[in-house]
């Protein structure tokens, strides 16, 4: 597996990976309505590309196939971390997180899904609060989590 910096040409593939991952991996913890609100398949690619370029964004790939991606802002906000549905529990998220976390000197904050919460807890993050986030009129539960460094 190779972890490399994001390129704008990656954006459509990352949007597709995001949609597929949300609708399969997170299906155990969220209803179909919640999954559709979270990932409706209509990503604003221009806005995502801008966000990825503003953040430190990494892509994990193997033999030209994207396996996962993650991005973190300079203020320590870990925004997105997604791994392809067929490559879960292979250390990809951990490898991406290791590299992303190294870029931040202070604490790191993320908004973790119910599904991702155990992953972040195992990495030393603690739940600051549980919250309900509204997406397209639908409420989703997630957790504000923080890792002190």
């Amino acid at each position: 597996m190779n972890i490399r910096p994001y390129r704008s040409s990656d954006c459509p593939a990352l949007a597709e990976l995001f949609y597929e991952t949300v609708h399969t991996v997170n299906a155990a913890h969220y209803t179909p309505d919640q999954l559709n609100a979270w990932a409706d398949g209509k990503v604003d690619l221009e806005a995502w590309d801008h966000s990825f370029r503003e953040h430190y964004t990494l892509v994990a790939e193997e033999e030209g196939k994207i396996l996962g991606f993650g991005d973190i802002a300079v203020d320590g906000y870990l925004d997105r971390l997604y791994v392809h549905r067929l490559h879960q529990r292979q250390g990809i998220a951990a490898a991406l997180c290791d590299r992303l976390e190294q870029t931040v000197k202070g604490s790191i904050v993320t908004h973790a899904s119910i599904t991702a919460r155990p992953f972040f807890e195992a990495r030393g993050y603690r739940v600051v609060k549980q919250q309900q986030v509204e997406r397209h009129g639908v409420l989703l539960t997630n957790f504000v989590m923080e890792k002190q460094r």
Side-chain angles (χ1 to χ4, degrees):
M1 175 180 65
N2 177 47
I3 296 178
R4 62 165 174 78
Y6 167 80
R7 297 186 291 252
S8 290
S9 59
D10 295 325
C11 199
L14 300 192
E16 183 178 336
L17 185 152
F18 163 73
Y19 179 86
E20 290 179 6
T21 300
V22 167
H23 282 268
T24 55
V25 175
N26 298 97
H29 299 107
Y30 295 90
T31 68
D33 285 344
Q34 289 173 319
L35 297 172
N36 287 328
W38 182 355
D40 63 6
K42 300 173 188 168
V43 168
D44 180 339
L45 294 177
E46 186 176 313
W48 263 38
D49 178 54
H50 178 77
S51 175
F52 285 141
R53 287 184 287 109
E54 290 291 313
H55 295 171
Y56 180 66
T57 304
L58 295 173
V59 174
E61 65 180 0
E62 191 168 77
E63 297 177 7
K65 180 179 179 177
I66 294 177
L67 306 179
F69 67 95
D71 65 305
I72 195 166
V74 295
D75 66 359
Y77 178 62
L78 180 58
D79 192 356
R80 289 161 286 216
L81 181 65
Y82 291 92
V83 173
H84 191 283
R85 64 184 179 86
L86 299 177
H87 297 280
Q88 297 287 307
R89 292 176 172 62
Q90 296 176 7
I92 297 165
L96 286 165
C97 243
D98 287 346
R99 295 267 300 270
L100 294 170
E101 290 173 355
Q102 289 173 6
T103 68
V104 177
K105 295 189 189 308
S107 64
I108 301 167
V109 173
T110 194
H111 293 184
S113 67
I114 297 167
T115 311
R117 178 182 170 175
F119 168 81
F120 285 107
E121 286 177 330
R123 294 187 63 81
Y125 288 72
R126 66 174 184 79
V127 173
V128 175
K129 70 176 180 175
Q130 179 176 322
Q131 63 183 4
Q132 297 289 312
V133 178
E134 185 270 326
R135 295 280 184 269
H136 305 293
V138 178
L139 293 177
L140 301 152
T141 299
N142 73 14
F143 302 90
V144 177
M145 300 185 75
E146 182 177 38
K147 182 176 186 177
Q148 297 293 333
R149 297 180 39 93

